[in-house]
């Protein structure tokens, strides 16, 4: 509750403060200032929306209210489609994407939407923590009788002592070091989805 309260309070305070300023200054604001304030409010509401969405999803997963609807599909196609969604981010930060996706893989049986969420969360982390002019590598290959997906990036990496905490709820790399804000729930959602699939 303390973690949730802290994460909710910050964007709410920003939104409230800027709306209050807009009301108080109203006619005195230049159009450029007004636009800047509105963009800040929009950014704060986006963070709030993402946090509430992640909290809702994780709470449902942890309460076992979601049952995977398993069906056979091609993991290489799912990963290729998910990667396409990050092309704009890659272009903006000049990140090169190295794809090594085997096209002759067996089908896997899993919940497609849940697996898509897993891949998106992992890719989102990889691109968030990759500096400009860096690279992200995506590999999909066959290992014995299984399909293995691995995603790597050229970021600073994670301190060895922090690795056991990676999949904990609310774990975040120090914002002062990374300069990146997040809910700290993305990898916890990944872990829970994979455990529901006995992976």
């Amino acid at each position: 509750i303390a973690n949730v309260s802290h994460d909710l309070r910050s964007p709410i305070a920003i939104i409230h403060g800027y709306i209050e300023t807009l009301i108080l200054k109203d006619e005195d604001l230049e159009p450029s200032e007004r636009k800047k304030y509105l963009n800040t409010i929009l950014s704060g509401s986006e963070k709030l929306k993402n946090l509430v969405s992640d909290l809702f999803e994780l709470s449902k997963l942890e309460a076992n209210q979601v049952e995977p609807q398993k069906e056979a599909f091609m993991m290489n196609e799912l990963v290729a489609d998910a990667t396409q969604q990050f092309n704009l981010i890659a272009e903006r930060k000049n990140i090169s994407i190295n794809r090594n996706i085997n096209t002759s893989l067996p089908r896997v049986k899993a919940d497609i939407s849940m697996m898509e969420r897993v891949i998106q969360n992992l890719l989102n982390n990889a691109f968030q923590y990759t500096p400009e002019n860096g690279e992200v590598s995506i590999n999909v290959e066959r290992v014995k009788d299984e399909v293995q997906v691995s995603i790597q990036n050229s970021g600073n990496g994670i301190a060895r002592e922090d690795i056991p905490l990676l999949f904990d709820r609310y774990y975040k790399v120090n914002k002062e070091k990374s300069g990146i804000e997040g809910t700290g729930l993305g990898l916890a959602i990944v872990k829970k989805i994979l455990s529901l699939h006995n992976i």
Side-chain angles (χ1 to χ4, degrees), residues 16-74:
H16 183 269
Y18 276 90
I19 289 174
E20 199 171 48
T21 305
L22 280 169
I23 292 167
L24 289 172
K25 291 189 174 181
D26 193 24
E27 295 172 10
D28 299 330
L29 284 174
E30 294 290 326
S32 59
E33 275 187 300
R34 185 182 300 278
K35 188 173 181 181
K36 182 183 171 186
Y37 287 6
L38 289 171
N39 280 331
T40 304
I41 292 166
L42 182 63
S43 174
S45 65
E46 283 282 341
K47 286 175 191 168
L48 204 54
K49 183 180 78 173
N50 292 337
L51 176 59
V52 171
S53 176
D54 283 352
L55 280 168
F56 184 62
E57 184 175 3
L58 187 59
S59 66
K60 284 200 303 181
L61 288 167
E62 290 191 332
N64 295 317
Q65 292 177 355
V66 183
E67 189 70 33
Q69 304 300 308
K70 295 182 180 180
E71 57 184 294
F73 66 95
M74 300 299 293

Side-chain angles (χ1 to χ4, degrees), residues 72-167:
F73 66 95
M74 300 299 293
M75 180 61 81
N76 51 352
E77 292 175 4
L78 180 72
V79 174
D81 288 346
T83 308
Q84 292 293 327
Q85 298 169 29
F86 290 86
N87 283 346
L88 271 178
I89 296 171
E91 197 176 304
R92 196 162 58 241
K93 292 176 71 176
N94 197 30
I95 294 171
S96 59
I97 305 174
N98 301 319
R99 297 176 176 90
N100 178 28
I101 301 176
N102 189 333
T103 53
S104 57
L105 293 171
R107 289 176 177 269
V108 298
K109 195 167 186 182
D111 186 303
I112 296 178
S113 62
M114 284 187 175
M115 285 300 130
E116 184 176 26
R117 177 69 155 140
V118 165
I119 301 301
Q120 283 176 340
N121 281 12
L122 294 174
L123 284 170
N124 188 54
N125 269 25
F127 281 94
Q128 265 194 321
Y129 289 96
T130 301
E132 288 191 11
N133 307 311
E135 62 180 52
V136 171
S137 299
I138 298 129
N139 296 290
V140 185
E141 57 193 336
R142 184 172 189 156
V143 178
K144 296 182 181 176
D145 293 328
E146 298 179 342
V147 173
Q148 181 175 287
V149 179
S150 59
I151 298 165
Q152 295 175 296
N153 71 329
S154 61
N156 291 330
I158 298 152
R160 188 174 293 277
E161 63 270 19
D162 289 341
I163 290 174
L165 307 171
L166 263 186
F167 294 96

